[in-house]
Amino acid sequence: MKFLLKVIGVIAVVLAVLGAFLPLLPTTPFLLLASACFARSSVRAHNWLRTNPLFGKYLRDWEDGRGLPLRGKVVILLFMWGSMGYSFTRVAHIPALVALLAAIGLGVTVFLLRFVPTKR
């Protein structure tokens, strides 16, 4: 079981890194999944994830219930909507995809602003 959790954790980290650059592929849920898997399978991998210079601080704050800083939320929303805007131009001829993208973007925005605590 530990081996399976490690494999899932590694896949989740790879997807999280890809999600930082690709629209519609979320970063945070994959990092949280990786952290949960590593916490149950590998102390070393979990510590590496929590002390990672790129996303370790955000992950520690999230896991410790402190939420995200306002600046982080703003950056997330700017990058997400920038990616969404580009995606809208690429699929403008398919109204159903535009509507789906908009619904996903609005859902993520509402979740981030309403349910994720803002760290002070």
Side-chain angles (χ1 to χ4, degrees):
M1 188 60 156
K2 284 187 176 191
F3 177 76
L4 180 62
L5 287 172
K6 286 179 189 177
V7 170
I8 293 170
V10 169
I11 292 170
V13 169
V14 170
L15 290 173
V17 170
L18 289 174
F21 303 103
L22 299 174
L24 295 183
L25 190 61
T27 300
T28 303
F30 287 120
L31 283 177
L32 295 176
L33 174 62
S35 182
C37 289
F38 289 152
R40 289 162 182 78
S41 64
S42 171
V43 172
R44 183 176 171 206
H46 189 243
N47 286 337
W48 170 81
L49 199 59
R50 286 180 56 96
T51 59
N52 184 288
L54 186 60
F55 44 75
K57 181 171 180 0
Y58 290 108
L59 186 58
R60 285 190 309 274
D61 287 345
W62 178 270
E63 286 181 345
D64 297 341
R66 291 189 292 264
L68 295 172
L70 181 60
R71 182 177 187 274
K73 287 184 175 185
V74 169
V75 169
I76 289 167
L77 290 174
L78 286 174
F79 274 103
M80 183 190 75
W81 282 106
S83 298
M84 290 280 193
Y86 175 74
S87 297
F88 288 148
T89 66
R90 303 299 296 168
V91 298
H93 59 284
I94 308 173
L97 283 180
V98 172
L100 180 63
L101 283 172
I104 291 169
L106 287 172
V108 170
T109 301
V110 167
F111 174 76
L112 191 63
L113 296 177
R114 179 108 168 114
F115 299 107
V116 175
T118 301
K119 181 182 169 188
R120 303 202 186 274

